[in-house]
Every structure is written in structure tokens, then in C-alpha cells.
Amino acid sequence: MPTLKVNGRKVTVAEDVYLLEACRAAGVEVPTLCNFDGLEPWGGCRLCVVDMSLAKWDDDWFKMVTACNHPVEEGMTVITDSERVLATRRVVLDLLLARCPETPLIQRLAREHGIEETSYELNPEPTDCILCGLCTRVCDHIGVSAIASTDRGWGREIAPPFNEPPPDCIGCLACAEICPTDHIKFTTSNSCRTIWGREFEMLRDPKTGEAVITKAQAEHFAARSGVPMTYFETSDRSKRLEVAKTVERLRVVKS
Amino acid sequence: MAEQPCVDLSKTEAILGSYPHEEPSLIQVLQDVHRAYNYLPCDVLVRVAEVLEVPLAKVFSVSTFYKAFSLEPQGDTIIKVCTGTACHIRGAGQLVEELERKLGIGAGETTEDLKFTVKTVNCVGACAMAPVMIVGEKYWGGAKPARMSRYLAEGGSDEN
Ligand code: SF4
Ligand code: FES
Ligand code: FES
């Protein structure tokens, strides 16, 4: 197991982790925007940059790398708050603030890095999407791939095919939940959910009548897992009621 | 959209038949499809996604990423006017204006009879010949607005 030094603190971590985890193990916060535990790191936002030096390099030789996707190595030295690291993060946030001037998360991160106003030209069409790719990656991860990044450069955005209601979407909300800026809008009622311009029928708990998940989502997971559909329509409240009943029965047996 | 193909899908089937049905074939297939139809019709994209077993969102993503692909029908002949620095200085603007007068369309547009599409591009690497215009496959160096009719007549159609 490799041992590294993060901001002077020694930490030992597992073989196959990335620098970000070593930093966390050392109790050092590194800001991230496109990283999510459980998804492969992507290295897209560049906010997590750190200075890194290998044991065999000259003592004062450092390279800037993204912590989220750089593998750990024995004897590495990591510095997360050097002047150039902080300056780089400021550029990233300055640019993001120009793109998303009205987005609270970006405003807050920028402020924490000493930026009140962007020094770049403001985006004439403010958006909340920072193009972190989390939504499309989680959608791929669950085997749906209903949305993707479209176009390029200035025009790049996250969209369903042909900008129409996506045929492959199952209405699971994974994209909306993972979006760090709440850019993806949806509505859920007891009978219907809407997202990406599509409407989904909700599956209701037969006992309590509560909406649990969309029918399309239950079908998707039932088909992949072999778990029966009825499993998915049971609401949490229903499950708790079931458990309570079981506990009752246990008590009866005991006494 | 997917149910009622408004284009002839047999060309697509033939193209799909000559590649392995897997994701790495995607760009090749799209290039061939683009050559066959002069653009990427949406029902063709749906069919390509189905056969190669690539999510439609990915197919759309690739189709919109590359400038070489168009999702709109294009003219038989594609006219590219270079508006790179050298060509700009030597009067590319007048070429675009002359085209607008002659064909009634601006950059990025297609004539109603689907004969011509006008595009502006940035430096085609022939600055010494500026201003450069490409009509179909034919390159015209030192292009002059007054000779536009000739360029259009001799350009020939485009195997883009
Ligand atoms: S919509 Fe949200 S999750 Fe998706 S890329 Fe934009 S900011 Fe990231
Ligand atoms: S968190 Fe590392 S690049 Fe985005
Ligand atoms: S600018 Fe037109 S060829 Fe270079």
C-alpha cells in the first residue's frame, strides 16, 4: 500500500485509488465539480488540480495534475494549496462564473476563491449547466444513455437526441439528482412524472397508493435484475409497515 | 419520425451491410451515409443506432459534434468561401455578398431548389491564392465576384 505526503501529512492508501482519495484520507479538502463517488472520474472541470511530485524527481519539481483521476504512487508528494494551484482554480471558477453568472453553487465557490465578479465577458445567455458530464455519465452507468452532449464549442449542451423527448429515457431522475446545479428540471405527482419533455406513468404502491417510481424505470430494472416488478412498487412506508408487523409477530412469539 | 421514413432507407441498409455491427463502425457509417444523402436524415440515424446497437443519444452526439456532418438537407453543390485572415483581407466578404445576390442565400444556407449550399470556412491552407473559393470539388484562387457565374457553372456537383 503506497504512502504519500499530502500537504506535509503522511497517509497510506490502497493501491488502486486516485489522488483525491489520498487527499481526503489526509483530511485535506480539494474542491471538485465533475467527480462523483461510484462513477469513473472524468477530469473535465479541472477544479481539483493539485501539485504533485514523484519520489524520483528533484525535490522542487512539481507537476500540476487533476486529483480526481491521477493514480497514487509510492512516495508521492502532493501539495493542494500552492500559489499556482490556487491561481489555476481561480481561472476555472472565473470562467465558470462568466458562463453561469446566476448559478448559486458557482457564485459560492468563486467567492470562496476570492472572486466576486468574473473578469471575462458575461455569457449573454446565462445557463446553470457547467457541462460537468455527470448527468450523461450516470445515465450511461445505469445502461440507459438517453441524453448526451451535443454540438461543440460555444454551442455544446446536454440534450436528448434531436432535442425531442428521449425515447430511451426511463424517467428515473438520476440525471436531475446528480446535477450539481439543479439545471435539469422535472415534476413528479402521484400519477405522473415529467422530465426532458416526456411524461411517465408512476407505479403506485397497491396498499398505500403512493407513487414509487415510474413504470418504465421498474420495467428497466426488473428486466436487467430479474427482480419481480412487485418489488419496485412497494413504497418505503409500505416496507416499514411490513417490518412493524413482523416485529409485532416476533414479540408475540417471544412472550 | 422513426415510423415513417421520408427517405429511401435501402442506401442505409447497404452501407450498414458493409461494416461490422459495433460501435467503432459509427463514424465510418455516418461518413458513408452523409456521402449518400448529402446530409444525415433523422430516420437514418435512428436506423444506424438500432443496427450498430449504439444509443441514439450517442449517435446524435457524434452527428452534431463534427462540422463535416449536416443534419439538414444540403445542396447538390457545396460552395465554401474561405474567410480566413488572408482571404478576408483580399475580399472574401465581397464573394459572400455576390453569392447572396446571385443565389439569394447567405452563409450556412441552402437554395430552395437544393442546388447550392453556401458555407464560410476559416483558412483552407492556400493563403497565397487568396481569396479562395471552393465550388464542389473545384478550387478557385484569386476569386473575383465578377466571375461568379463561371465559378457556379463550372464547379460541378459535390461528392462531399
Ligand atoms: S445538466 Fe447538470 S449534471 Fe449535466 S452537465 Fe450540466 S451541470 Fe452537469
Ligand atoms: S473533479 Fe477533477 S477534473 Fe473535475
Ligand atoms: S485564409 Fe483563406 S486560405 Fe488561408
Side-chain angles (χ1 to χ4, degrees):
Chain A
M1 296 221 299
T3 299
L4 301 78
K5 236 199 224 162
V6 180
N7 292 358
R9 247 165 286 171
K10 268 203 172 138
V11 277
T12 303
V13 291
E15 213 75 47
D16 55 352
V17 302
Y18 300 106
L19 284 184
L20 185 62
E21 196 162 323
C23 294
R24 284 183 186 156
V28 174
E29 269 294 321
V30 174
T32 63
L33 275 173
C34 70
N35 197 65
F36 193 88
D37 292 339
L39 287 182
E40 270 299 300
W42 191 53
C45 75
R46 319 308 284 179
L47 190 61
C48 68
V49 285
V50 295
D51 258 322
M52 178 280 294
S53 178
L54 291 182
K56 59 180 179 225
W57 292 354
D58 289 349
D59 278 351
D60 58 350
W61 187 256
F62 279 86
K63 188 178 159 187
M64 246 203 288
V65 297
T66 40
C68 65
N69 63 352
H70 199 93
V72 294
E73 218 174 282
E74 176 60 39
M76 261 183 180
T77 307
V78 178
I79 297 179
T80 67
D81 56 2
S82 64
E83 198 28 62
R84 67 173 190 174
V85 159
L86 296 178
T88 305
R89 286 194 198 139
R90 276 196 293 273
V91 172
V92 169
L93 288 165
D94 198 352
L95 285 163
L96 278 175
L97 194 59
R99 176 184 168 83
C100 314
E102 292 158 12
T103 309
L105 172 70
I106 300 305
Q107 290 171 340
R108 176 172 65 74
L109 279 170
R111 210 173 308 122
E112 282 170 14
H113 285 77
I115 304 167
E116 292 294 333
E117 257 172 64
T118 179
S119 60
Y120 298 97
E121 190 141 341
L122 271 185
N123 183 359
E125 293 166 47
T127 167
D128 281 328
C129 179
I130 56 171
L131 297 172
C132 67
L134 281 170
C135 51
T136 55
R137 283 184 289 147
V138 77
C139 195
D140 289 343
H141 188 75
I142 58 173
V144 173
S145 300
I147 50 171
S149 138
T150 65
D151 212 328
R152 55 151 76 186
W154 278 110
R156 191 165 157 236
E157 58 182 11
I158 305 299
F162 309 109
N163 292 303
E164 279 173 19
D168 295 328
C169 184
I170 56 172
C172 72
L173 298 190
C175 55
E177 300 282 356
I178 206 169
C179 178
T181 61
D182 291 331
H183 174 64
I184 301 170
K185 301 291 177 254
F186 64 93
T187 63
T188 302
S189 77
N190 220 20
S191 58
C192 175
R193 171 171 294 161
T194 57
I195 186 163
W196 294 113
R198 247 189 88 174
E199 276 189 16
F200 293 91
E201 181 191 336
M202 297 302 288
L203 211 59
R204 295 213 221 163
D205 185 305
K207 293 204 191 90
T208 64
E210 289 163 292
V212 184
I213 59 177
T214 66
K215 194 156 159 265
Q217 184 184 356
E219 279 162 3
H220 176 82
F221 286 118
R224 300 184 103 215
S225 62
V227 176
M229 281 287 281
T230 44
Y231 173 82
F232 298 101
E233 59 189 30
T234 317
S235 72
D236 284 349
R237 196 154 71 96
S238 236
K239 279 182 203 148
R240 280 198 297 276
L241 289 174
E242 244 350 276
V243 172
K245 262 193 231 148
T246 316
V247 172
E248 268 312 303
R249 249 180 275 137
L250 288 179
R251 268 204 214 118
V252 177
V253 174
K254 241 201 224 158
S255 53
Chain B
M1 156 189 86
E3 299 84 40
Q4 300 182 309
C6 48
V7 296
D8 169 18
L9 277 177
S10 61
K11 287 193 270 182
T12 310
E13 301 299 343
I15 292 166
L16 282 165
S18 55
Y19 290 99
H21 292 174
E22 56 190 27
E23 184 158 350
S25 309
L26 180 59
I27 293 194
Q28 299 265 358
V29 168
L30 291 180
Q31 278 177 330
D32 286 7
V33 163
H34 202 276
R35 209 168 290 128
Y37 297 87
N38 225 350
Y39 76 111
L40 299 176
C42 58
D43 10 294
V44 170
L45 293 184
V46 170
R47 183 68 188 138
V48 167
E50 205 172 83
V51 173
L52 299 186
E53 290 184 46
V54 179
L56 184 59
K58 292 255 149 57
V59 174
F60 185 69
S61 177
V62 171
S63 308
T64 54
F65 182 82
Y66 293 102
K67 290 276 182 235
F69 293 143
S70 167
L71 289 156
E72 306 283 331
Q74 298 190 101
D76 299 330
T77 302
I78 304 209
I79 304 168
K80 297 182 189 119
V81 182
C82 179
T83 51
T85 312
C87 294
H88 172 78
I89 289 174
R90 308 205 59 179
Q94 276 117 289
L95 294 174
V96 177
E97 280 167 26
E98 182 62 20
L99 280 169
E100 204 158 348
R101 264 192 295 277
K102 280 227 139 56
L103 301 174
I105 53 168
E109 294 175 352
T110 300
T111 53
E112 246 166 64
D113 58 3
L114 287 184
K115 277 219 169 93
F116 295 102
T117 293
V118 174
K119 290 181 180 174
T120 55
V121 293
N122 293 321
C123 191
V124 294
C127 307
M129 290 161 57
V132 178
M133 222 178 99
I134 310 160
V135 183
E137 299 277 89
K138 203 152 180 173
Y139 282 65
W140 298 95
K144 295 192 177 54
R147 297 211 192 125
M148 191 59 76
S149 303
R150 190 178 146 208
Y151 302 152
L152 294 183
E154 286 182 31
S157 100
D158 190 17
E159 266 289 293
N160 194 31

